[in-house]
């Protein structure tokens, strides 16, 4: 449907992007994402022919838009701007009818029945029929956006371009508009600029990430939206998670109000032995309070490992479906050696991670303080191996607590400032 | 074209309105013919009009005949034409600038024409022929618009905001120049002042032969453009997305508006308010769609100016008040009343 080849644009002294290639298929919703100033709107303007690039071409259905008049382009491409201000009290229907303008001859003053039909269709698709007689200045943001989409649909285009279609809308209208856009994209192609990565991920068939003057990556949302890429391009720490059922990724910014994550402080080094999600809260609390946190051994598929990774916590990881290996064990002990305090979370023990408890036992025998919850028997799935392990250790290095919050309170009281 | 409008079905209300307004204009014209320093009965007026047609004879007092045919008819016709021209230009300007406060003089036509007129008077050029003042006024008006346009122009684009500012700046400058000329005009001061205030003191059929065809031609060119003017209301960029050649449209509209305004001002001086409030009145009744706004504004403008001019020459008969004063005195309160009544709608 749409081919963008080797496109380069610069304004006066400022270069926006160069050698940009893009390809949009029929019947797809293609999202453009990227930080402010990356050139998303500029790219949209080049596609619609309003801006002339320094280099490169835009081919719509095998025709170069350079060779098309503004009117011809308007018959094929409909553009919905981000926000429109209407100064005069036009009726909604009059605005939608403007969409038929590219199809009207110069001398024609009244409407043909085809115009009438297309306008009706557009109103039905956008559910704007019920307020077609209303003064456009009285519409809410969401209603007006629907009207503008109807106007673009009335042009009967093959391609629809949307510039941040929902940025100024409340969440209820965001969903309504995006559902509408998704429906439209099944017949026509739609290219939309998004600020909201989660909206883009949820609705788009494919996305392109713009940054540093080019398209850094394009493809399915889950392929493009990765935490490392987002951090690199947007400069913000995020965690990207995949919904287990829908398969869509969503982005959550991570925010630690109390400290700069990469700073080494003079505070205590605490090593957290955890797994199965039991360590996330502990690690977060400690990092927030400014401690130097390490963790291990964590299985690669474990959510605690993801948490540790997003928080920048150095940790030892183990391959999936494998018992803790000798190498990981050694690394774990190394971290324990340099820690001031070891915390064992409420992680259940099985054959796969029993060696973590061995590490804890080692800690106790080597004069390392260990804090843990006093319910090991309930978490022992190794035929009491765990219990036996701790039997022979030095008792005075061990402190038991009845639950995690008491444990954390104690840590903060005893070692905090 | 009228057929198109009516068979469209939806626009009955607007078509009826235009027709009614047109009939009202004619009635007003006939009424105006009877009024004046010498009140002439309607019967006589009709006799004179019919009698002026070929092959028809009527017995009329020669005095009445002269008054009607050589004083009042051209004056009424010219007032209607000028009113229509100013109102049409006003509706175009308000559409171009997307600003309801725009009037036809906004790009410097009035200042430029006033300069030409005062020069013609003060230098005595106007004595050469009755056309020399209007010609000079028209020329300076067009030159001024040209200058304003080029100040605002950036390569091939004319940003509307810059155009507005350039027009204001040049108008201020010309106003100062005109004041300067007036200060030194000595015995001509009264004449210059009267011209500036606007009026139809010595209308001739020649004025009508020039202005009427021009008005009709400009209206004919503008009508197909009205749908593009509606598109510009959404924004110039949005209009481009709808396939409108925005820069070309702006140029054409500017030329048309400048032309008809310059011609109007050349023949009648600077008459204010007609161009500003006629489109507003129409918008408040039938809405902002330009297809009806432009022609209806023209008729409303004709009615308004004709009414004001008749008032101007009858209210203190036999003295005449400059019509620009009447349009302001009548127009401003009326405008305020409309605004007040429709506060939320605006």
């Amino acid at each position: 449907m749409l081919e963008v080849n080797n496109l380069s644009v610069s304004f006066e002294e400022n270069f926006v992007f160069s050698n940009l290639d893009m390809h949009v298929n029929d019947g797809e919703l293609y999202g453009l994402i990227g930080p402010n100033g990356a050139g998303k709107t500029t790219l949209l303007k080049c596609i619609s022919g309003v801006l002339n690039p320094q280099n490169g071409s835009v081919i719509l259905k095998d025709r170069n838009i350079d060779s098309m008049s503004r009117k011809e382009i308007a018959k094929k491409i409909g553009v919905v701007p981000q926000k429109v201000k209407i100064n005069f009290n036009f009726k909604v229907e009059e605005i939608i009818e403007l969409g038929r303008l590219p199809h009207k001859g110069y001398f024609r003053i009244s409407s043909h029945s085809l115009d009438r039909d297309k306008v009706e269709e557009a109103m039905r698709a956008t559910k704007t029929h019920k307020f077609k007689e209303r003064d456009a200045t009285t519409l809410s943001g969401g209603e007006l956006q629907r009207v503008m989409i109807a106007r673009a649909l009335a042009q009967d285009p093959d391609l629809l371009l949307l510039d941040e279609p929902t940025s100024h809308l409340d969440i209820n209208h965001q969903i309504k508009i995006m559902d509408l856009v998704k429906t439209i994209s099944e017949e026509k192609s739609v290219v939309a600029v998004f600020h909201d990565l989660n909206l883009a991920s949820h609705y788009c068939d494919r996305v392109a990430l713009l940054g540093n003057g080019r398209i850094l990556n394009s493809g399915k949302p889950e392929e493009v939206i990765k935490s490392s890429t987002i951090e690199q391009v947007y400069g913000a720490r995020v965690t990207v998670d995949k919904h287990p059922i829908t398969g869509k990724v969503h982005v959550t910014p991570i925010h630690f109000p109390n400290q700069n994550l990469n700073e080494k402080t003079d505070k205590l080094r605490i090593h957290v032995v955890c797994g199965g999600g039991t360590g996330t809260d502990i690690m977060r609390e400690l990092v927030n309070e400014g401690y130097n946190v390490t963790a291990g051994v964590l299985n690669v598929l474990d959510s605690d490992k993801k948490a540790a990774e997003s928080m920048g916590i150095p940790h030892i990881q183990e391959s999936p479906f494998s018992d803790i290996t000798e190498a990981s064990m050694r690394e774990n002990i190394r971290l324990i050696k340099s820690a001031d305090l070891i915390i064992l979370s409420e992680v259940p023990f099985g054959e796969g991670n029993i060696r973590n408890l061995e590490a804890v036992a080692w800690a106790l025998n080597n004069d390392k303080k260990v804090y843990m919850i006093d319910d090991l028997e309930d978490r022992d799935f190794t035929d009491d191996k765990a219990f036996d392990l701790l039997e022979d250790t030095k008792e005075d290095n061990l402190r038991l607590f009845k639950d995690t919050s008491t444990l954390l309170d104690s840590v903060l009281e005893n070692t905090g400032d | 074209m009228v057929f198109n409008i009516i068979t469209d079905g939806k626009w009955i209300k607007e078509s009826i309105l235009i027709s009614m307004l047109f009939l009202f204009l004619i009635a007003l014209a006939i009424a105006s013919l009877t009024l004046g320093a010498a009140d002439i009965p309607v019967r006589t007026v009709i006799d004179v009009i019919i009698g002026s047609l070929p092959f028809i004879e009527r017995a009329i007092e020669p005095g009445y005949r002269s008054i009607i045919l050589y004083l009042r008819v051209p004056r009424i016709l010219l007032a209607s034409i000028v009113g229509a021209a100013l109102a049409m230009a006003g509706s175009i300007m308000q559409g171009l600038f997307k600003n309801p406060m725009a009037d036809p003089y906004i790009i410097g036509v009035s200042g430029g024409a006033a300069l030409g007129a005062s020069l013609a008077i003060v230098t005595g050029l106007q004595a050469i022929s009755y056309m020399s003042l209007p010609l000079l006024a028209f020329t300076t008006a067009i030159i001024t618009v040209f200058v304003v346009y080029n100040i605002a122009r950036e390569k091939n684009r004319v940003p509307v905001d810059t155009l507005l500012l350039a027009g204001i700046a040049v108008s201020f400058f010309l106003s100062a120049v005109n004041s300067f000329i007036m200060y030194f005009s000595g015995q001509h001061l009264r004449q210059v002042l009267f011209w500036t205030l606007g009026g139809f003191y010595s209308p001739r059929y020649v004025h009508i032969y020039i202005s009427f065809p021009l008005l009709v031609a400009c209206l004919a060119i503008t009508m197909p453009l009205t749908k593009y003017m509606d598109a510009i209301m959404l924004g110039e960029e949005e209009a481009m997305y709808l396939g409108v050649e925005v820069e070309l449209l702006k140029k054409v509209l500017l030329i048309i508006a400048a032309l008809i305004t310059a011609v109007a001002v050349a023949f009648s001086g600077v008459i204010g308010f007609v161009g500003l409030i006629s489109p507003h009145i129409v918008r408040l009744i039938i809405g902002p769609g330009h297809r009806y706004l432009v022609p209806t504004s023209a008729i409303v403008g004709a009615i308004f100016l004709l009414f004001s001019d008749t008032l101007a020459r009858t209210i203190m008969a036999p003295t005449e008040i400059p019509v620009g004063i009447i349009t302001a005195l009548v127009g401003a309160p009326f405008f305020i009343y409309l605004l007040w009544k429709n506060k939320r709608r605006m």
Side-chain angles (χ1 to χ4, degrees):
Chain A
M1 164 70 67
L2 178 73
E3 289 274 346
V4 174
N5 295 322
N6 215 13
L7 207 67
S8 303
V9 175
S10 50
F11 289 127
E12 288 152 30
E13 303 296 317
N14 302 321
F15 135 91
V16 182
F17 52 70
S18 66
N19 305 110
L20 198 132
D21 290 315
M22 194 174 105
H23 172 83
V24 179
N25 301 318
D26 287 3
E28 96 174 318
L29 177 50
Y30 193 90
L32 294 178
I33 55 177
N36 285 334
K40 311 188 288 293
T41 304
T42 311
L43 178 56
L44 224 55
K45 288 194 185 180
C46 286
I47 297 175
S48 64
V50 157
L51 198 59
N52 280 325
Q54 267 65 37
N55 227 340
S57 59
V58 176
I59 316 276
L60 180 68
K61 281 194 140 171
D62 298 323
R63 280 191 72 188
N64 193 330
I65 62 165
D66 240 346
S67 67
M68 293 164 71
S69 72
R70 184 129 291 148
K71 212 171 169 190
E72 285 180 287
I73 297 178
K75 289 190 204 174
K76 300 248 173 284
I77 301 182
V79 181
V80 180
Q82 191 178 343
K83 206 172 177 198
V84 177
K85 187 155 190 288
I86 313 243
N87 284 333
F88 293 94
N89 48 334
F90 281 97
K91 291 211 198 87
V92 163
E93 189 171 19
E94 289 173 318
I95 292 184
I96 300 178
E97 278 171 350
L98 284 176
R100 296 304 300 165
L101 205 53
H103 298 271
K104 288 193 183 173
Y106 177 76
F107 285 107
R108 189 144 60 91
I109 297 191
S110 60
S111 296
H112 282 173
S113 58
L114 178 66
D115 290 339
R116 224 51 82 63
D117 291 339
K118 288 292 173 187
V119 168
E120 286 289 321
E121 245 179 73
M123 287 199 282
R124 249 181 287 127
T126 54
K127 297 206 184 30
T128 46
H129 204 277
K130 54 183 187 283
F131 44 77
K132 68 174 185 169
E133 292 292 320
R134 267 179 63 186
D135 182 340
T137 54
T138 63
L139 295 177
S140 73
E143 291 169 330
L144 188 57
Q145 192 68 308
R146 290 227 296 278
V147 170
M148 296 310 291
I149 293 178
R151 193 225 67 211
L153 283 180
Q155 286 172 250
D156 204 17
D158 297 314
L159 174 68
L160 211 61
L161 301 178
L162 300 154
D163 195 349
E164 294 188 40
T166 57
S167 287
H168 58 289
L169 301 176
D170 63 43
I171 191 165
N172 166 40
H173 286 111
Q174 281 190 356
I175 295 174
K176 284 200 181 132
I177 296 283
M178 285 315 302
D179 283 344
L180 170 61
V181 170
K182 185 76 186 175
T183 313
I184 294 173
S185 74
E186 278 152 25
E187 264 183 50
K188 311 184 186 284
S189 301
V190 179
V191 176
V193 169
F194 287 96
H195 254 171
D196 188 333
L197 295 171
N198 290 325
L199 267 183
S201 159
H202 192 84
Y203 284 99
C204 293
D205 298 309
R206 287 195 301 146
V207 297
L209 175 61
L210 265 84
N212 302 332
R214 42 184 241 280
I215 292 188
L216 296 168
N217 199 359
S218 67
K220 298 219 184 82
E222 57 266 25
E223 292 163 19
V224 176
I225 301 176
K226 292 195 171 358
S227 57
S228 48
T229 334
I230 302 294
E231 184 177 335
Q232 181 199 333
V233 173
Y234 283 86
R237 272 207 99 103
V238 298
T239 167
V240 177
D241 306 294
K242 192 167 184 168
H243 193 282
I245 298 174
T246 67
K248 309 267 184 215
V249 293
H250 61 271
V251 175
T252 318
I254 304 177
H255 173 58
F256 285 97
N258 283 345
Q259 66 140 240
N260 181 343
L261 284 168
N262 289 321
E263 247 169 53
K264 292 296 167 213
T265 64
D266 289 337
K267 279 198 158 182
L268 249 44
R269 298 188 66 106
I270 304 184
H271 184 79
V272 181
V273 178
C274 54
T278 58
T280 308
D281 289 341
I282 298 176
M283 290 192 278
R284 191 181 56 236
E285 276 282 340
L286 295 176
V287 167
N288 232 3
E289 291 297 326
Y291 294 99
N292 289 308
V293 183
T294 56
V297 176
L298 296 169
N299 195 291
V300 151
L301 296 177
D302 197 310
S303 58
D304 276 344
K305 176 220 151 42
K306 271 206 83 139
E309 202 174 48
S310 8
M311 292 186 239
I313 292 174
H315 58 279
I316 314 299
Q317 66 186 33
E318 189 53 79
S319 330
F321 309 119
S322 131
D323 294 351
I324 292 174
T325 59
E326 196 55 50
S328 312
M329 186 67 181
R330 256 178 292 151
E331 290 298 307
N332 207 15
I333 301 284
R334 188 176 59 80
L335 280 181
I336 289 177
K337 262 195 201 161
S338 39
D340 301 308
L341 170 64
I342 318 298
I343 295 182
L344 180 60
S345 71
E346 284 178 292
V347 55
F349 281 100
E351 292 298 326
N353 63 346
I354 189 68
R355 298 208 71 181
N356 270 346
L357 201 54
E358 279 180 39
V360 172
W362 184 95
L364 285 168
N365 286 332
N366 286 277
D367 286 321
K368 292 287 179 189
K369 296 243 176 293
V370 175
Y371 284 17
M372 75 180 235
I373 316 288
D374 190 17
D375 62 349
L376 189 55
E377 302 97 75
D378 304 330
R379 295 186 269 130
D380 188 351
F381 298 97
T382 59
D383 292 325
D384 289 335
K385 260 203 224 163
F387 192 72
D388 293 338
L389 265 174
L390 287 187
E391 272 275 292
D392 305 322
T393 55
K394 282 209 192 135
E395 291 282 325
D396 37 332
N397 286 331
L398 179 65
R399 273 189 70 176
L400 296 168
F401 297 88
K402 67 174 166 75
D403 57 36
T404 311
S405 43
T406 336
L407 186 157
L408 281 173
D409 287 341
S410 179
V411 172
L412 298 175
E413 277 165 39
N414 289 339
T415 60
D417 298 347
Chain B
M1 191 184 93
V2 178
F3 265 91
N4 271 353
I5 295 174
I6 293 180
T7 55
D8 211 18
K10 286 183 357 176
W11 306 101
I12 298 287
K13 177 178 160 205
E14 285 77 2
S15 320
I16 293 181
L17 182 68
I18 291 193
S19 320
M20 275 176 46
L21 283 172
F22 196 69
L23 289 174
F24 183 71
L25 178 64
I26 298 195
L28 183 63
I30 296 180
S32 305
L33 282 172
T34 67
L35 297 167
D39 275 338
I40 301 176
V42 182
R43 196 68 220 280
T44 320
V45 166
I46 297 181
D47 277 342
V48 169
I49 302 286
I50 297 181
S52 68
L53 296 170
F55 308 125
I56 302 179
E57 280 203 19
R58 284 275 191 278
I60 311 147
E61 268 190 54
Y64 280 171
R65 198 164 175 278
S66 304
I67 293 177
I68 292 178
L69 283 186
Y70 299 114
L71 283 183
R72 293 192 185 166
V73 168
R75 180 161 179 153
I76 285 162
L77 284 178
L78 192 60
S80 308
I81 292 168
V82 167
L86 290 176
M88 184 176 142
S91 64
I92 292 177
M93 287 285 124
Q94 287 173 7
L96 252 181
F97 288 94
K98 287 187 282 297
N99 189 330
M101 284 296 115
D103 76 2
Y105 306 132
I106 211 172
I107 45 173
V109 174
S110 52
L115 179 66
S118 46
L119 280 178
I121 293 172
V122 161
T123 58
L125 271 170
Q126 67 150 345
I128 299 179
S129 133
Y130 62 85
M131 279 304 283
S132 46
L133 188 150
L135 203 59
L136 190 53
F138 178 80
T139 311
T140 49
I142 296 295
I143 292 176
T144 306
V145 172
F146 189 68
V147 167
V148 168
Y149 181 80
N150 278 296
I151 292 176
R153 188 169 63 98
E154 287 168 20
K155 287 190 200 164
N156 224 2
R157 290 182 52 235
V158 183
V160 148
D161 295 333
T162 321
L163 190 63
L164 180 64
L165 289 174
I168 292 177
V170 170
S171 294
F172 273 139
F173 176 73
L174 288 174
S175 169
V177 172
N178 284 328
S179 300
F180 183 79
I181 294 178
M182 273 205 271
Y183 187 75
F184 288 106
S185 57
Q187 72 203 108
H188 299 296
L189 177 61
R190 198 183 164 82
Q191 209 183 347
V192 172
L193 198 60
F194 268 43
W195 188 91
T196 316
L197 288 172
F200 300 99
Y201 302 114
S202 45
R204 292 161 181 269
Y205 281 99
V206 165
H207 300 168
I208 295 166
Y209 299 149
I210 296 176
S211 53
F212 187 66
L214 185 68
L215 180 66
V216 172
C218 285
L219 193 60
I221 297 176
T222 309
M223 283 313 294
L225 295 177
T226 53
K227 51 185 184 283
Y228 304 125
M229 288 171 75
D230 284 343
I232 291 197
M233 290 298 111
L234 288 180
E236 283 183 26
E237 194 171 296
E238 282 69 30
M240 278 203 274
Y241 294 136
L242 285 169
V244 178
E245 298 282 352
V246 171
E247 290 303 317
L248 181 62
L249 179 69
K250 277 168 25 182
K251 281 191 197 110
V252 171
L253 288 177
L254 272 173
I255 292 175
I256 289 178
L259 256 179
I260 55 179
T261 311
V263 168
V265 175
F267 290 141
S268 67
V270 184
I271 302 175
F273 263 97
V274 182
L276 177 63
I277 80 168
S278 305
H280 276 286
I281 296 172
V282 178
R283 225 180 265 119
L284 285 170
I285 304 176
I286 61 175
H290 287 89
R291 187 169 135 196
Y292 290 98
L293 183 67
V294 172
T296 315
S297 297
I299 298 187
V300 167
I303 292 175
F304 181 33
L305 192 52
L306 178 56
F307 176 75
S308 301
D309 184 55
T310 305
L311 211 60
R313 63 183 171 84
T314 55
I315 210 168
M316 278 172 68
T319 321
E320 277 196 33
I321 304 179
V323 72
I325 295 179
I326 302 286
T327 55
L329 282 177
V330 169
F334 186 55
F335 191 41
I336 293 173
Y337 165 71
L338 283 176
L339 280 178
W340 178 70
K341 237 189 101 189
N342 292 277
K343 257 192 230 178
R344 252 173 256 136
R345 274 233 264 160
M346 292 220 93

